[in-house]
Amino acid sequence: MSSSDELEAIEMGLPEPGGYERLAGYMSRHPELGIFRRFGALGHQNLLYLQAEIARVEVRLRVVQERDRNSDDEERKRYGQAWAALSESGESEGSSETDREQYDLIMLLRELMNQYQTALYNHKQMLSLRSPHPKQLGYLREWMQRPTLGRIQLFSCDRTTWQPFKDIEQDLLTFENSMMDEFTSLVTYTAVDVYHKVLGRYIHRKRSKKGDSILPLTYSDHRHTVTYSHQAIVRFTRSLTVFLACMLPIGAIIFLYTVEDMTKRLTVIACLTGVFSVSMNVFTMATLSEIFAATAAFAAVLVVFLGAANGA
């Protein structure tokens, strides 16, 4: 930013440029915008290096074990059958380097295996975290860049983390909602945008000027922005999903009751079962087996009602 821009910003009463502290505070208030580098390539590279080092030690250990088994020293022959003899060879001050080499290799291998297994587990956990939604990243990027919002200025190598570089964007992760169903995603990243552009920006900005409390839809963390609570959106989508889950079987039965022709009833059952399975996929994070089980149960309920209605 030029000196003239700085003077203009001061005259407008804008905040001073911020850094890590301001960015961390914003992420703590909005966990869904906590976006970080995955360093996936470096993680795999580290695993490969550990694997190569362990393989090298393993080869040497096999050679040493074979040498000790064929040794003329009776004590070294016992290394493969008596841990006490092997451990004493490493702990005894009088042992030669050859005598304790197998023990030293085992201790080194134990340390490397611990590092390797920890790295494997941590890397697996990191890979399970989802990539941020493009709009999520856009929100954070806009907040960081706009003078009236975050006005974040970083000068270290990680300043490109949130910039629009394709390779880096593919390497980002977020902790929030690693498992988000399609409906929640639609409401969070599309419906809220439409609401804000059409109505929300006028309502909430007007309320904030009056000083009224507008939670949970907005926070008063900055006078230049309107923020929609992610938790409130999730609660809304969950409530709506539960309501639909209750009404779908009831509505299906009522609809079947109005149909008298048997052929039409069977067609309706097939269509409603399809709607139910699609709803399970869109509104929940159910697995395929859970969707099959729930769909079969739903169809069974409709068939039982159909049999009871015919009997009556």
Side-chain angles (χ1 to χ4, degrees), residues 66-84:
E66 183 66 22
R67 183 197 66 192
D68 289 342
R69 277 195 296 269
N70 298 326
S71 173
D72 295 333
D73 189 331
E74 294 298 325
E75 190 68 17
R76 285 166 59 184
K77 285 184 178 181
R78 297 177 57 233
Y79 286 174
Q81 298 172 309
W83 168 252

Side-chain angles (χ1 to χ4, degrees), residues 52-198:
E53 191 171 1
I54 291 172
R56 181 182 63 83
V57 174
E58 180 189 25
V59 170
R60 180 57 186 168
L61 178 62
R62 299 301 179 225
V63 172
V64 171
Q65 287 175 333
E66 183 66 22
R67 183 197 66 192
D68 289 342
R69 277 195 296 269
N70 298 326
S71 173
D72 295 333
D73 189 331
E74 294 298 325
E75 190 68 17
R76 285 166 59 184
K77 285 184 178 181
R78 297 177 57 233
Y79 286 174
Q81 298 172 309
W83 168 252
L86 179 60
S87 62
E88 288 174 2
S89 70
E91 298 170 358
S92 175
E93 295 182 358
S95 300
S96 66
E97 185 176 340
T98 302
D99 290 339
R100 65 171 180 266
E101 184 177 8
Q102 184 176 164
Y103 177 82
D104 291 340
L105 287 172
I106 290 174
M107 292 300 103
L108 176 60
L109 190 62
R110 179 179 296 177
E111 181 182 350
L112 290 174
M113 286 297 297
N114 183 57
Q115 295 178 18
Y116 181 65
Q117 290 166 356
T118 301
L120 271 177
Y121 178 79
N122 290 338
H123 194 64
K124 176 180 179 295
Q125 292 296 106
M126 186 172 59
L127 291 177
S128 66
L129 297 172
R130 73 174 181 86
S131 299
H133 193 280
K135 288 190 176 181
Q136 240 180 340
L137 182 57
Y139 297 152
L140 179 62
R141 189 178 290 151
E142 181 181 9
W143 180 86
M144 292 176 65
Q145 294 175 350
R146 286 182 60 179
T148 56
L149 297 178
R151 202 181 176 196
I152 302 298
Q153 292 184 6
L154 302 178
F155 301 101
S156 52
C157 294
D158 65 330
R159 65 183 181 275
T160 60
T161 298
W162 302 277
Q163 293 181 8
F165 297 120
K166 186 176 181 181
D167 292 342
I168 294 180
E169 287 182 351
Q170 293 175 346
D171 194 47
L172 296 177
L173 60 82
T174 179
F175 297 119
E176 187 71 9
N177 287 331
S178 294
M179 300 295 286
M180 181 185 289
D181 59 81
E182 294 181 15
F183 178 64
T184 303
S185 179
L186 176 66
V187 172
T188 303
Y189 303 121
T190 302
V192 171
D193 274 357
V194 173
Y195 166 76
H196 179 73
K197 292 177 181 178
V198 174

